[in-house]
Amino acid sequence: MAVAAKNIPAPDLVPVRRALLSVFDKTRLIDFARALAAAGVELVSTGGTAKAIAEAGMAVRDVSDLTGFPEIMDGRVKTLHPSVHGALLGVRDDPEHAAAMRDHGIEPIDLVVSNLYPFEDVRRSGAAYASIVENIDIGGPAMIRAAAKNHAYVAIVTDPEDYASVLNALEMNFGSLSLDFRKKLAAKAFARTATYDAAISGWFAEALEIEHPTWRAFGGRLDQVMRYGENPHQSAGFYVDGDKRPGVATARQLQGKQLSYNNINDTDAAFELVGEFDPARSATVAIIKHANPCGVAEGASLKAAYAKALACDPVSAFGGIVAMNRTLDAEAAEEIVKTFTEVIIAPAASEEAIRIVAAKKNLRLLVTGGLPDPRAAGSTVKSVSGGLLVQGRDNAVVDDLDLKVVTRRAPTPAETADLKFAFRIAKHVKSNAIVYVRDGATVGIGAGQMSRVDSARIAARKALDAAEAAGLAEPLTKNSVVASDAFFPFADGLLSAIEAGATAVIQPGGSMRDDDVIAAADAHDIAMVFTGVRHFRH
């Protein structure tokens, strides 16, 4: 049965006479504390926070003076005391609460300033289990939640970014804070503790190898409010979860206007794709449109790779995202800016390349400091009505797979190299996916069709269009290889690829009609390998 509420209206303005400050992150703390003290607010504090305030020359009352009890157990127990929590949770206009506070000498606290042990940072640092556990804050979240619950009388500040607005509100209201302002601070406080607890529960599940815990929580911090979502009538915000995986969320934007919702989605897809390619082996460039690649290529240089990638589908590349696995250099930058491009993302960029891109003031340039590890474990989350679908990241890499030749003819070494290249790309193409590759470059991509044979035909049609645009006598799908993200359910999709000019095929296998598909390949002297791994991407 729910706890009954007493009908006691919350006051609008509550004077701030006493503040409890207990923070791990001491950013701007001293200036904030000094402003509070100047406004006549009594400062109460704990441990290192109290020491910092005192060393700055301000009067500060130790929390043990309120509790009559010293900090114990290496500081684990300092604010977990009725004199603190009674001061935070007491409903001051409730006669019973007021009497309890008087009887037990509990002095009210009007403002709490608290942030938490850096659990998320320590977890990501690779620290030992015991060290991570020690950085689970207990007193801080308890204090924050108590103050937030009793926002009718207490203001809670959890973010140094809010210090200025708190001081401004105090000045505007002659030393008081309004109920509306306290509510907003409380909402942010509960969101912070929820995110903190989500990180802790997620770490425990990971440490204990519990793939699907009974309760699952996800949290993030607002990075930016966007002009709109996928479409102008949809609102959107971008939240980051603190994961340091190189990519759009951790990148440094060197120039250009704010990234849009679709920019972020497409840039993530682009950079995850180029992360499949070792920069020590060759330069690789991917051009992405609507989260699908419209051209990917390897080359001796980024400029050469970009030219080959662009040739695959120059029409779709207009307004796309360009990602690369090496430092953006001037030669590549000069070529890329010749075509309207929304975003360039790379591990780094030379000073000359930065100057070249700067001439296009709206073109966003992002540098990440590294490439994402395609083999790393992780999770992906998708919302559905009433729930969330959570799965492990697709971290299967074709170089790690046991490729099984199932036809009479085995692929040549050159075909094998292109087959592996094509299967890497197919992993990042929306299903049903068909990818034609020749000489380390895509020459036709069919994506997102309900029928695999349609994807094969669309990819071949695009190759014909690209050949006409380039003035070639025949499409580059002639003497290419082809990859399929899932098995061919019938031989018709394979026959369409053969008609387009493919000489070798890579696919997962596993269809009831595998024998028919293999027979069709043998009848046309086509080499085929099975990977045993499917790469559906929806």
Side-chain angles (χ1 to χ4, degrees), residues 200-517:
I200 295 168
S201 63
W203 169 72
F204 265 113
E206 181 182 293
L208 300 176
E209 297 183 349
I210 303 171
E211 287 191 351
H212 305 293
T214 303
W215 295 95
R216 190 136 197 185
F218 299 91
R221 181 186 178 102
L222 182 65
D223 183 74
Q224 67 182 70
V225 176
M226 312 183 122
R227 287 190 299 136
Y228 54 83
E230 280 187 287
N231 300 291
H233 64 277
Q234 295 172 269
S235 64
F238 182 39
Y239 290 79
V240 294
D241 63 7
D243 187 352
K244 297 303 183 184
R245 183 177 178 85
V248 65
T250 56
R252 183 164 57 98
Q253 184 169 346
L254 300 185
Q255 73 146 67
K257 59 185 179 180
Q258 184 186 50
L259 292 164
S260 70
Y261 180 100
N262 291 327
N263 289 155
I264 290 175
N265 187 56
D266 292 352
T267 304
D268 178 67
F271 205 61
E272 286 292 321
L273 194 162
V274 295
E276 301 276 349
F277 296 89
D278 183 357
R281 188 182 72 182
S282 65
T284 304
V285 171
I287 306 172
I288 299 289
K289 194 73 170 288
H290 299 303
N292 271 312
C294 50
V296 185
E298 291 180 310
S301 67
L302 289 175
K303 179 182 177 180
Y306 175 74
K308 291 166 69 176
L310 183 64
C312 179
D313 189 353
V315 174
S316 297
F318 184 85
I321 311 294
V322 177
M324 59 206 67
N325 68 344
R326 289 183 178 175
T327 298
L328 175 66
D329 55 39
E331 274 193 332
E334 286 176 344
E335 289 302 308
I336 293 169
V337 298
K338 290 177 182 177
T339 299
F340 171 57
T341 300
E342 291 278 4
V343 181
I344 300 172
I345 184 168
S350 71
E351 291 300 321
E352 191 175 356
I354 293 170
R355 286 195 296 271
I356 291 167
V357 175
K360 304 288 185 179
K361 64 178 183 178
N362 288 329
L363 171 56
R364 296 87 159 181
L365 176 58
L366 307 179
V367 294
T368 64
L371 290 169
D373 180 0
R375 293 177 174 85
S379 297
T380 64
V381 184
K382 181 180 180 180
S383 64
V384 296
S385 296
L388 299 169
L389 284 170
V390 182
Q391 66 174 347
R393 180 186 287 125
D394 183 355
N395 60 354
V397 174
V398 68
D399 288 336
D400 302 335
L401 304 181
D402 182 17
L403 304 185
K404 179 182 178 184
V405 178
V406 295
T407 48
R408 287 194 296 266
R409 183 174 80 79
T412 66
E415 286 175 328
T416 298
D418 275 350
L419 287 170
K420 288 183 176 181
F421 182 96
F423 204 62
R424 284 192 190 93
I425 308 304
K427 174 180 173 180
H428 295 268
V429 178
K430 296 295 179 71
S431 297
N432 287 312
I434 293 291
V435 179
Y436 294 94
V437 166
R438 177 171 157 180
D439 298 330
T442 57
V443 293
I445 300 173
Q449 298 304 304
M450 292 70 73
S451 162
R452 193 160 299 279
V453 67
D454 285 344
S455 288
R457 289 170 178 163
I458 288 170
R461 177 69 251 182
K462 282 183 166 290
L464 280 170
D465 292 343
E468 289 178 9
L472 302 177
E474 62 180 11
L476 292 176
T477 49
K478 296 296 182 182
N479 299 313
S480 69
V481 305
V482 67
S484 175
D485 64 334
F487 62 65
F488 287 100
F490 302 96
D492 55 358
L494 173 65
L495 293 173
S496 291
I498 294 170
E499 184 180 348
T503 63
V505 182
I506 186 169
Q507 59 136 317
S511 168
M512 291 189 300
R513 296 179 179 83
D514 274 348
D515 289 343
D516 295 342
V517 176

Side-chain angles (χ1 to χ4, degrees), residues 126-134 203-204 207-208:
Y129 185 96
S131 181
I132 295 173
V133 169
E134 197 58 35
W203 169 72
F204 265 113
L208 300 176

Side-chain angles (χ1 to χ4, degrees), residues 6-18 86-95 97 101 108-112 146-156 177-179 182-183 186:
K6 296 180 179 178
N7 189 23
I8 300 174
D12 181 20
L13 293 174
V14 172
V16 176
R17 299 187 178 96
R18 180 176 295 108
L88 299 178
L89 287 166
V91 178
R92 299 171 194 179
D93 293 320
D94 182 325
H97 287 211
M101 294 177 76
I109 294 171
D110 311 304
L111 173 67
V112 175
K149 175 174 180 174
N150 200 28
H151 60 267
Y153 299 93
V154 183
I156 171 64
L177 294 175
S178 70
L179 178 60
R182 299 194 303 275
K183 284 180 178 178

